[in-house]
Amino acid sequence: TGSLELKTTGNAQPTLNGNIRTALGTYQAYGQRLDIEQGELRFFGPVDNPALDILAIRPKLTQRVGVQVSGTVLSPIVRLYADPELPEAEKLAWLVMGRSASGRGGEAALLQQAALALLGGSGQGLTTNLTEALGLDELSFKGNVDGDTATGATLTLGKRLSNDFYMTYESGL
């Protein structure tokens, strides 16, 4: 629902002003289909870059969790959401698994792997940006999940210091 006003002037690119709100909708995130409770696109100029105000909640859970999307279409900001507020790891656990994290090694390792994969995304993801910001050549998480235990879960940091010397620091989690 909503209304938009399209304006054109000579050879200039057309502009849109107004709002569009979702009446019903779904949002796919973290492998889950979320119900959009609040969804608004605000146009204030160029037609290809409206502002975003979206709140999508995972349905049928005792804990309200989901994602909030703000920013613009060309530069969206996606954050985990919970009401009442929870730590980020708990939000992710509720969103991905539909329940609180048990704190067991296997689940924790699985969630860490999922978080790193999701943060990496496609293209220049957060892990790539973080690696570059820290001046590293490698930032990775590895682990084997067998039932409820994690074996060999490690965080690896790497940096090439010269053509003949690559330094790696690896820590067990």
Side-chain angles (χ1 to χ4, degrees):
T1 63
S3 64
L4 296 173
E5 181 180 333
L6 176 66
K7 292 182 182 182
T8 60
T9 308
N11 291 336
Q13 290 233 335
T15 60
L16 277 177
N17 289 307
N19 297 330
I20 296 177
R21 288 171 299 286
T22 59
L24 293 172
T26 59
Y27 185 86
Q28 190 78 21
Y30 299 91
Q32 303 299 320
R33 176 173 244 135
L34 310 176
D35 293 340
I36 297 176
E37 286 191 357
Q38 169 189 325
E40 186 171 7
L41 292 132
R42 289 188 294 277
F43 292 86
F44 48 89
V47 297
D48 64 346
N49 198 26
L52 303 170
D53 184 10
I54 299 168
L55 175 61
I57 302 294
R58 182 165 174 187
K60 300 176 185 158
L61 292 181
T62 57
Q63 173 66 47
R64 280 180 47 85
V65 294
V67 295
Q68 260 182 328
V69 184
S70 59
T72 65
V73 166
L74 296 178
S75 185
I77 300 166
V78 180
R79 296 183 350 197
L80 295 176
Y81 170 87
D83 182 28
E85 188 62 31
L86 295 170
E88 294 297 306
E90 277 295 300
K91 291 178 193 177
L92 185 60
W94 274 100
L95 192 58
V96 173
M97 299 185 306
R99 59 184 166 79
S100 178
S102 69
R104 293 190 234 161
E107 283 184 356
L110 185 61
L111 279 174
Q112 288 169 346
Q113 284 178 320
L116 282 174
L118 293 167
L119 290 172
S122 60
Q124 290 273 92
L126 180 60
T127 52
T128 302
N129 292 338
L130 182 60
T131 302
E132 290 175 359
L134 295 173
L136 298 171
D137 296 318
E138 177 185 1
L139 173 63
S140 64
F141 173 81
K142 297 174 190 141
N144 299 319
V145 179
D146 181 24
D148 290 333
T149 61
T151 58
T154 58
L155 175 67
T156 304
L157 309 171
K159 175 70 179 166
R160 179 164 300 285
L161 300 175
S162 72
N163 285 340
D164 299 321
F165 189 62
Y166 186 85
M167 186 169 70
T168 301
Y169 174 78
E170 192 168 274
S171 179
L173 303 174

